[in-house]
Amino acid sequence: MREKFAVLLLTLLAWAAPAAAQPDGCLQYSWSYGREIDLFADGYLPTIDSASSLPKEGVFALRLKATSDIMYPVPPDRGRDSGYGGYVTLESIPAGRYHIVLSEDAWVDAVEEHARLPVRDAGKIDNCPSVRQSVQFEVTGQPLTIQISGAPVDHLSIAVVRVWNFERKK
């Protein structure tokens, strides 16, 4: 319960805080990563274990395990044979497009009702500090499971933020 409250509080504070200037390497991408960089850099991130549930979207750190030790709800599309992995379920998330940003390079699958969601936009980020992977998914409002696989590290930070219509790429 304490972790859930911390995630909610950090998310609310991050939305209220002004965004810092983005490092030069982040400016070459069509999507602004300032909000996610600020969320990752704000200090304490609640850390949760794989297979945990959270009440809603936000920012958190996820402890990963060897990918071979994970029993994923749906087999990952890629990255299932090496590295680290894990998953987290967001219990209540309104329908819409969501941006999932990782602090490390890894494969991301979004799952609703035991089916992988199609990727709407994705990119590997090479020279933007603390942001390495970016994926967007359209969700229907059912509980959303975010599956991570093929990560080179045993923990990473994840930001799950709503993409509003005015923020979408044309």
Side-chain angles (χ1 to χ4, degrees), residues 65-72 76 78-86 148-151:
K65 299 178 181 181
T67 302
S68 58
D69 294 340
I70 303 292
M71 292 287 289
Y72 290 100
R78 296 187 200 164
R80 60 182 161 260
D81 298 328
S82 64
Y84 296 91
I148 308 297
S149 53

Side-chain angles (χ1 to χ4, degrees), residues 113-127:
E113 298 182 317
H114 307 290
R116 269 193 301 282
L117 299 175
V119 174
R120 297 295 179 203
D121 190 20
K124 183 176 179 180
I125 314 305
D126 291 323
N127 51 354

Side-chain angles (χ1 to χ4, degrees), residues 40-93:
F40 289 163
D42 277 343
Y44 172 77
L45 288 180
T47 301
I48 61 170
D49 292 320
S50 177
S52 295
S53 293
L54 293 173
K56 59 181 285 172
E57 72 274 11
V59 61
F60 53 92
L62 182 63
R63 277 188 209 97
L64 305 175
K65 299 178 181 181
T67 302
S68 58
D69 294 340
I70 303 292
M71 292 287 289
Y72 290 100
V74 172
D77 191 33
R78 296 187 200 164
R80 60 182 161 260
D81 298 328
S82 64
Y84 296 91
Y87 63 94
V88 61
T89 299
L90 306 176
E91 296 295 336
S92 178
I93 185 165

Side-chain angles (χ1 to χ4, degrees), residues 5-17 39 42 56-59:
F5 177 75
V7 170
L8 177 62
L9 181 61
L10 283 173
T11 300
L12 292 174
L13 289 173
W15 283 104
L39 290 172
D42 277 343
K56 59 181 285 172
E57 72 274 11
V59 61

